[in-house]
Amino acid sequence: MNRRILTGIGLATAGALALAGCSAGQDSSSSESAELTSLSIMAPFLTTNAPAADSDVQQALEKVIGVDLDINWVPNASYEDKTNITLAGDSIPQVMVIQGKTPGFVKNAQAGAFWELTDYLDDYPNLKTNLPAVQAASSINGKVYGIFRARDAMRAAVIIRKDWLANLGLEAPKTIDDLYEVAKAFTQNDPDGNGQNDTYGLIIPKWPGSIGSNSPYDAIEVWSGAGNLWKDVDGTLEPSFEQPEWLTAVKFEKKLISEGLVNPDYATFDSAKWNEPFLNGKGGIIIDVHSRAGVITSLLKESNPDDYENFVTVTGNLANSDGELNALPTAGYSGFLAIPKAQVRTEEQLRAVLEVLNEMNSPEAGKIINNGIEGVTYTVEDDLAVAVDDASQVDKDTVLSFAQLGTNVNGFQGYLPKQPTEFEQQMYDERLKIQDSDLEHAVYNPAAPYVSATYTAQGAQLDTIISDARIQFLAGQLDEKGLEDAIARWRSSGGEAVASEINELYQADAAKK
């Protein structure tokens, strides 16, 4: 059995927390050493089978972090239900993967079921994030109840038929106005040279999410300067769809549609088939995550192995008509690792757990969590991970599962993947450069940290009011007055209360800074 003696680090908020489950007379601010021999974790797995407790990956990770791991792997499909059942029972682990700020988690956190980590994480170099905006977004009203699991904060991109640009003597768009011109040329100027009027510019599917779910429409609206769901206007948060820039953006979107520069079935086109018109030479532009370019390139390589390099190019977020770049970020995280107070009862125990999690986010542990075992699941070439082709499916699935424990809050702790060909590697490197450049212009949702009680209860219905009105306006079923009426209905149906609650929290948070 591993045994790690953990020494208390300088206490940031001695005695400041009321600890649920502490016995009478317990000194929660003591800095005496804590002893931890194992760490229990509940986490989801997305593969067919859960990792074995004696897997090479787990044993290698235990060796690095210095304690044994007792992991309860739960199928992803039932993970939310299992989370609720676990919190209501007696067998609560020391660490739980929480998949998002669900109403249940928010309620439990605010009731004191989880440790607030706001004043602790900076004491641990591998848990101190260099993405403060993402950490704020993952918080509950500014209070951090978990170590967020970082994901690419910038993924928006414009994917374009490279051959069509070349055929028409065009460059990739840099602005929204350029996007219009390229889409128009792709529709009207026979970009494939077949003499037929059978192409269009933008490929847009029926979007499965509501407003603010990173649809192509949301991207254009953020690029236009409307803000990202909410916008700070002279110290007050206002919905993005109430901004004049939002109306300008949806009018632009309607222009694209009314002029036939978008696939005519945009309102019903299955998003699962989004790549097909691009691959089949019907549409030339996709606004989505940059990784889709890699997927499309791989598919083209299968069907056109001799010249697949000539079909795809990528550019990043587009500037507005004033030349201002407002880049659309993701939330930047996918859930977090939270620490229940029912199992971790004292501050000494908390710090012991945090020290192990700090080791789990070290570069050495990160390579195990994100890549697996060198020589078994990957080899290293040019400081990049090359997948071992004959690695067993069990080993591959184990690595995918352990990646659920990675936080990467101060950068990816592992090897990036080496691409199959030199061209694909060049494309991948270019995507990373675009991503890093656009991140400097990211427009985060300033209301993301705040939890409105009204929105928790009515948010889905309120979002639908706006997303339905937008698509109806784009289709010509609503005029501008009808769009304004829908926004007014959003206000009267609970939106007014949401805005008030969000701003009360926002102002209170601002007063503390």
Side-chain angles (χ1 to χ4, degrees), residues 40-74:
S40 58
I41 302 174
M42 189 175 94
F45 68 94
L46 287 68
T47 55
T48 302
N49 297 304
D54 61 350
S55 71
D56 291 343
V57 172
Q58 180 161 328
Q59 290 183 55
L61 184 58
E62 289 173 340
K63 184 176 180 180
V64 170
I65 64 177
V67 300
D68 292 330
L69 293 174
D70 176 15
I71 306 176
N72 178 16
W73 295 103
V74 178

Side-chain angles (χ1 to χ4, degrees), residues 1 17 22-23 34 201 233 334 380 385 395 408 501:
M1 174 179 287
L17 298 174
C22 288
S23 61
V233 180
S334 177
V380 179
D395 286 337
N408 302 297
E501 291 162 5

Side-chain angles (χ1 to χ4, degrees), residues 130-183:
N130 58 5
L131 297 169
V134 176
Q135 181 158 285
S138 72
S139 73
I140 298 175
N141 300 333
K143 296 181 178 181
V144 177
Y145 288 98
I147 304 159
F148 70 87
R149 301 186 301 170
R151 299 294 183 264
D152 287 342
M154 185 57 61
R155 301 184 69 199
V158 184
I159 304 162
I160 312 162
R161 286 284 302 224
K162 182 180 179 181
D163 56 328
W164 288 10
L165 289 174
N167 290 345
L168 299 177
L170 298 172
E171 295 183 355
K174 296 180 180 178
T175 69
I176 296 172
D177 296 333
D178 293 343
L179 177 67
Y180 170 79
E181 295 299 335
V182 172

Side-chain angles (χ1 to χ4, degrees), residues 80-93:
E80 184 64 27
D81 289 340
K82 181 65 174 179
T83 298
N84 295 331
I85 292 169
T86 299
L87 289 173
D90 297 325
S91 300
I92 299 178

Side-chain angles (χ1 to χ4, degrees), residues 218-289:
D218 296 321
I220 292 171
E221 289 149 19
V222 171
W223 295 344
S224 299
N228 185 355
L229 265 177
W230 294 81
K231 185 174 183 178
D232 185 320
V233 180
D234 298 327
T236 298
L237 295 188
E238 297 179 359
S240 59
F241 50 81
E242 292 186 341
Q243 308 309 308
E245 295 90 347
W246 188 81
L247 182 58
T248 298
V250 293
K251 286 181 177 179
F252 173 77
E253 294 158 3
K254 184 175 183 179
K255 180 180 179 180
L256 291 169
I257 290 169
S258 63
E259 292 185 10
L261 312 187
V262 175
N263 52 298
D265 58 348
Y266 66 93
T268 59
F269 180 53
D270 186 352
S271 60
K273 301 178 180 179
W274 201 353
N275 296 336
E276 291 183 8
F278 193 102
L279 295 169
N280 297 335
K282 295 299 181 183
I285 306 169
I286 291 176
I287 300 173
D288 192 35
V289 296

Side-chain angles (χ1 to χ4, degrees), residues 7-20:
T7 304
I9 301 173
L11 301 181
T13 53
L17 298 174
L19 304 180

